[in-house]
Amino acid sequence: MTQKPTLLVLAAGMGSRYGGDKQIDGFGPNGETILEYSIYDAIKAGFGKVVFIVRKEILKEAKEIFLPKLEGKIEVDWVVQTLESFVPEELKQKDRKKPFGTAHAVLCAKDAVNEPFAVINADDFYGKEAFDVLGKFLATDVRPDLHAMVGYAVQNVLSDNGTVSRGVCETNEKGQLIGMVERTSIAREGDKIISRGEGEVFEIPEDTPVSMNFWGFHQCVFGEIERMWAEFLPANLDNLKSEFYIPTVANNLIKEGKAAYEILPGGKTWFGVTYSDDKPIVIAALKKLHDEGEYPSKLW
């Protein structure tokens, strides 16, 4: 019998640009969080468990919001990401304030996930097609040497209220990922999409696939992440702002010839909250989806 995949939710981010905990803010017609739509779509797509990765400051409130709604619908587990998680005593950075990043967050869930799993951001709306295609991949195609990500055309994942950062994908003739570069300060300028980060001006073609941090992994990846983490920590001991990212893990596994990544075509609809001015746009978009019958009048 095929194991049902798990949904791993990255909800420990600071929300600094937004100005609050957008992971637990209400956007839907009945005050639903963006994350509730992802969980609803994941359940419909056959996922059997959701694991929340949170920081301890929001754990109690997150449980109060989500547990009553999800009881009896999907198995739920909680993981707290701290600055001490998976950090040996001799490598602790006593003055560090910034979380260690997305790959460290995934590593924190190592003991809570024993099956193929997807990773999402708590504050991004990915669309039901994305969950359908990744759920199918995780149930039938994933292997220790074959993972996946859902690709989104860069033209569909910009903000009208400021610049964004995106993982810009390079692909081979099979459409598989062969590398990813984090481009920052991306915005539309006239009829072009331009990145102005890192002191360079770089044009990105509109249909270029980018990562919105919607990944699908075989559970064996935890061993590889732990191996890379053990190399990352001593190499960045004096850098209090260093971060260990999922794209770094993907790039390393591809370069080492240990895994390939399919770029799945389910990225049709995306919206997210990077800035507080994005909130009314998201509220309107969710209302439209309800009005069009994509979602019931109440999710739960």
Side-chain angles (χ1 to χ4, degrees):
M1 183 173 135
T2 306
Q3 281 181 303
K4 286 189 169 187
T6 285
L7 181 66
L8 195 59
V9 178
L10 305 182
M14 293 289 192
S16 55
R17 283 179 294 179
Y18 175 69
D21 284 319
K22 52 191 172 174
Q23 296 95 342
I24 51 180
D25 203 354
F27 294 88
N30 307 292
E32 296 93 346
T33 62
I34 291 177
L35 177 53
E36 287 178 58
Y37 290 88
S38 292
I39 297 171
Y40 180 90
D41 289 335
I43 292 170
K44 293 284 188 190
F47 285 73
K49 181 165 75 171
V50 57
V51 177
F52 293 84
I53 302 174
V54 298
R55 61 188 196 280
K56 59 181 180 294
E57 292 86 351
I58 65 169
L59 177 62
K60 180 174 181 290
E61 191 174 356
K63 284 186 173 182
E64 288 171 355
I65 290 171
F66 292 106
L67 284 178
K69 294 176 178 178
L70 300 179
E71 187 177 4
K73 297 179 178 69
I74 191 170
E75 185 183 342
V76 179
D77 202 354
W78 301 87
V79 171
V80 174
Q81 181 187 12
T82 72
L83 297 178
E84 289 77 42
S85 303
F86 287 85
V87 181
E89 192 64 40
E90 67 275 13
L91 294 176
K92 285 182 177 166
Q93 299 173 321
K94 66 182 179 63
D95 295 323
R96 188 179 180 96
K97 301 284 190 292
K98 191 177 182 64
F100 275 110
T102 53
H104 177 250
V106 173
L107 180 58
C108 290
K110 177 174 179 272
D111 296 328
V113 179
N114 303 297
E115 52 284 313
F117 64 100
V119 179
I120 63 167
N121 293 332
D123 51 357
D124 285 310
F125 179 94
Y126 293 100
K128 82 178 277 297
E129 302 95 344
F131 284 94
D132 288 344
V133 73
L134 190 53
K136 183 169 182 286
F137 174 86
L138 293 172
T140 59
D141 297 329
V142 71
R143 303 190 308 263
D145 63 347
L146 184 65
H147 309 298
M149 59 160 277
V150 179
Y152 289 77
V154 67
Q155 64 183 332
N156 296 329
V157 294
L158 303 174
S159 171
D160 293 333
N161 296 303
T163 62
V164 296
S165 299
R166 299 288 181 250
V168 178
C169 300
E170 186 182 352
T171 60
N172 62 15
E173 66 282 352
K174 297 180 186 173
Q176 293 178 322
L177 181 69
I178 56 173
M180 185 181 300
V181 177
E182 183 74 8
R183 297 281 178 189
T184 58
S185 300
I186 301 171
R188 185 177 289 283
E189 298 182 14
D191 61 352
K192 296 180 177 178
I193 297 171
I194 303 291
S195 165
R196 293 186 175 273
E198 288 74 55
E200 64 172 329
V201 179
F202 184 85
E203 183 180 352
I204 306 172
E206 298 210 344
D207 58 352
T208 302
V210 299
S211 165
M212 297 309 298
N213 228 27
F214 196 0
W215 297 89
F217 291 105
H218 189 276
Q219 62 271 29
C220 77
V221 81
F222 285 113
E224 298 292 351
I225 295 174
E226 197 161 18
R227 170 181 65 84
M228 293 178 210
W229 173 244
E231 296 166 1
F232 170 90
L233 271 178
N236 291 276
L237 193 55
D238 297 326
N239 184 355
L240 300 181
K241 294 186 174 179
S242 59
E243 290 192 66
F244 182 48
Y245 293 118
I246 294 171
T248 304
V249 172
N251 281 342
N252 286 348
L253 290 177
I254 292 166
K255 281 178 191 164
E256 293 166 2
K258 290 189 171 183
Y261 285 76
E262 297 288 349
I263 299 181
L264 303 178
K268 303 282 192 297
T269 307
W270 173 90
F271 43 83
V273 181
T274 304
Y275 302 94
S276 56
D277 286 348
D278 293 331
K279 182 170 182 175
I281 297 168
V282 172
I283 289 172
L286 288 173
K287 182 180 184 304
K288 185 167 183 277
L289 288 172
H290 279 273
D291 291 345
E292 291 173 350
E294 288 288 317
Y295 293 99
S297 57
K298 286 193 171 184
L299 287 186
W300 313 111

